[in-house]
Amino acid sequence: MDKLRIVGGAPLRGTIAVGGAKNAALPLMTAALLTDETLTLANMPDVADITAMAGLLHLLGVHLNLQGDAGANDDTHVVDFTAKNIASTTAPYDLVRKMRASILVLGPLLARAGEARVSLPGGCAIGTRPVDLHLEALKKLGAEIDIESGYVLARAPKGLVGGDIVFPVVTVTGTENALMAACLAKGRTTIANAAREPEVTDLAQCLVKMGADIQGIGTDKLLIQGKPRLHGAKHSIVPDRIQAGTYLMAVGMAGGSIEVKGAKPPHLQAALDVLQACGMQFEPTIEGLRATCTGRLKAADVDTAPFPLFPTDLQAQFMALMTLADGTSHIAENIFENRFMHVQELIRLGADIAVKGHTARVCGVPKLTGAPVMATDLRASVSLVMAGLAAQGETTVSRIYHLDRGYERLEEKLARCGAHIERVRG
Ligand code: UD1
């Protein structure tokens, strides 16, 4: 298994480009199931989760045609998805187990083919993450749902019908599944307490290009007038705000100044506000945002919450940053109950962190020291890499297959900005 070896202490200088958002690309790819025409997606990210979703879609009968350089981080990396016929309506356990987002085929398959059989995802490192809200939403659209032998069996033999969905908690992929299904349901659907994440907005905008009628895009109340069919479209995937936020915070960790191309301030406002309060400086550039950090940061508190508030997907990275800050930071994780797996590993590097319930108290220390550490999930892995950039001596991060699920050539991008980091194949 590959590892990353990092020798800390080098400040970052240069430019890093972020590609399309994985969390936007995944639902957008499944939207191809809604039409027999071609959906062309540009700015496709080149990460393991996308390859896994492509494998699943292929199994369901989607024809994929790739053009350009995978991972070019621009509009030259284009993939055509054509679901002329649905060859299968089953998403098998082996694929869903590896990637929870496979549940995103449920709504589109049900809407287009009138049935879907999708394995229940099971547990994952950051918590139980059930899919009950997805199922309740689809029931509101007339689906009959049973659980059999670990699979969700969803049927709508006469087609879905519009309904009123009220999510009791904000769910990103739940909103996306309901939204996609509603586009082909008969009549009007409302989705209240909908997720407003930029990835949901990106999906909605693409669905409109495909002929869907959606009002309220970008708000927590979506109104969808179902259509009998959708057509093909071309869409460029929104840049990855979590990758952008990670690289901005890496500057806070290692010091220096970098331009992050593709960073969109409105998508990162909550994080930028906190980082500014900590002492980082930001300056908009033509293509993104420049982050600069000189000197030690001040501690600040963070509470994770749905967009537009501070994202849970940047919580681990922010915690890494706070390990070296001046003062004490309280970080509350309000989305996932078990998303502090990085804490023990950061402590191995010398961090002073105590967890009580869903809050971590991080007392800033003057220095971290390199050590072997182990990645446990996607965002935890990158927080360890960030800590390694600042730690004295050598840090090795193992199990980086987690990292490869969501970051494209992270080590190359950081090394080009002066970090001493390399992938050790194994
Ligand atoms: C998405 C993102 C993930 C991010 C998360 C929160 C993708 C592919 N993944 O995950 O990176 O960390 O949003 O921003 O976009 N819940 C239920 N029942 C459900 C669904 C969710 O109880 O049926 C709970 C979850 O356990 C969690 C909360 O709702 O506590 C929010 O989860 P949700 O927004 O659904 O996360 P995902 O869409 O899986």
Side-chain angles (χ1 to χ4, degrees):
M1 268 190 285
D2 291 3
K3 291 180 182 176
L4 286 180
R5 185 190 295 144
I6 307 153
V7 178
L12 299 175
R13 299 211 183 276
T15 301
I16 291 180
V18 296
K22 162 183 91 71
N23 284 355
L26 291 167
L28 284 165
M29 289 166 79
T30 68
L33 290 165
L34 293 167
T35 172
D36 59 1
E37 295 183 15
T38 299
L39 175 63
T40 302
L41 297 177
N43 200 23
M44 280 291 286
D46 181 26
V47 295
D49 271 11
I50 297 300
T51 312
M53 183 59 92
L56 173 57
L57 292 177
H58 176 72
L59 205 73
L60 303 179
V62 181
H63 181 80
L64 279 79
N65 181 26
L66 182 114
Q67 300 153 40
D69 175 16
N73 289 166
D74 58 27
D75 280 349
T76 62
H77 183 211
V78 169
V79 184
D80 290 335
F81 298 86
T82 315
K84 203 151 201 50
N85 299 299
I86 303 291
S88 162
T89 51
T90 298
Y93 176 62
D94 264 357
L95 288 176
V96 180
R97 180 175 58 86
K98 285 190 204 128
M99 188 188 47
R100 242 189 81 81
S102 308
I103 193 73
L104 283 165
V105 300
L106 180 62
L109 275 180
L110 182 63
R112 168 98 180 269
E115 61 170 48
R117 188 168 166 269
V118 178
S119 172
L120 280 167
C124 80
I126 64 173
T128 49
R129 296 181 84 176
V131 292
D132 55 321
L133 302 175
H134 298 235
L135 306 186
E136 288 308 315
L138 294 173
K139 279 188 199 166
K140 287 274 183 335
L141 303 184
E144 297 159 21
I145 298 200
D146 294 300
I147 307 290
E148 266 179 43
S149 311
Y151 278 77
V152 175
L153 294 181
R155 291 185 209 87
K158 293 187 188 138
L160 295 169
V161 284
D164 294 322
I165 298 166
V166 183
F167 281 114
V169 297
V170 176
T171 161
V172 174
T173 49
T175 300
E176 292 165 345
N177 245 334
L179 174 63
M180 288 190 279
C183 287
L184 288 183
K186 271 184 219 109
R188 204 181 85 129
T189 297
T190 58
I191 306 179
N193 201 22
R196 285 181 284 166
E197 270 63 6
E199 295 77 23
V200 180
T201 298
D202 202 39
L203 170 67
Q205 284 166 345
C206 177
L207 290 168
V208 168
K209 289 182 196 163
M210 294 168 74
D213 178 350
I214 307 170
Q215 307 294 319
I217 295 175
T219 74
D220 64 356
K221 179 133 195 207
L222 297 170
L223 259 105
I224 304 111
Q225 190 64 45
K227 293 283 173 84
R229 61 186 302 275
L230 297 184
H231 52 72
K234 288 195 173 123
H235 184 77
S236 180
I237 298 167
V238 67
D240 195 315
R241 67 192 164 103
I242 303 300
Q243 282 194 40
T246 302
Y247 290 120
L248 297 173
M249 288 191 200
V251 178
M253 199 84 217
S257 181
I258 60 169
E259 181 192 6
V260 180
K261 283 190 185 169
K264 287 182 179 287
H267 293 177
L268 282 161
Q269 204 52 59
L272 295 177
D273 289 347
V274 177
L275 294 172
Q276 247 158 356
C278 293
M280 285 190 71
Q281 292 137 39
F282 299 101
E283 185 194 330
T285 61
I286 291 169
E287 290 183 78
L289 200 57
R290 170 169 292 283
T292 305
C293 180
T294 46
R296 194 176 184 191
L297 294 180
K298 293 191 287 286
D301 296 340
V302 143
D303 271 42
T304 66
F307 189 82
L309 300 177
F310 193 94
T312 173
D313 285 350
L314 284 175
Q315 178 259 108
Q317 298 89 316
F318 185 74
M319 191 181 297
L321 203 56
M322 290 297 96
T323 61
L324 287 174
D326 183 12
T328 299
S329 159
H330 293 91
I331 300 177
E333 172 54 57
N334 299 312
I335 308 289
F336 294 114
E337 76 269 26
N338 193 22
R339 207 174 201 179
F340 282 143
M341 309 274 280
H342 41 286
V343 167
Q344 287 309 320
E345 302 301 302
L346 289 171
I347 289 173
R348 288 179 48 73
L349 298 173
D352 179 354
I353 309 171
V355 175
K356 198 167 175 201
H358 65 108
T359 303
R361 196 196 65 209
V362 188
C363 298
V365 292
K367 72 174 173 87
L368 299 175
T369 38
V373 288
M374 209 163 67
T376 48
D377 70 56
L378 172 56
R379 308 302 170 187
S381 338
V382 84
S383 75
L384 300 175
V385 174
M386 287 173 53
L389 293 177
Q392 290 180 2
E394 185 176 300
T395 298
T396 49
V397 185
S398 56
R399 298 202 178 169
I400 55 163
Y401 53 86
H402 290 293
L403 193 76
D404 294 333
R405 284 187 40 221
Y407 288 87
E408 290 171 278
R409 302 183 318 281
L410 172 104
E411 69 279 11
E412 279 175 37
K413 292 181 181 186
L414 289 172
R416 255 186 268 130
C417 290
H420 300 303
I421 177 168
E422 60 172 352
R423 183 177 288 250
V424 184
R425 306 262 171 203

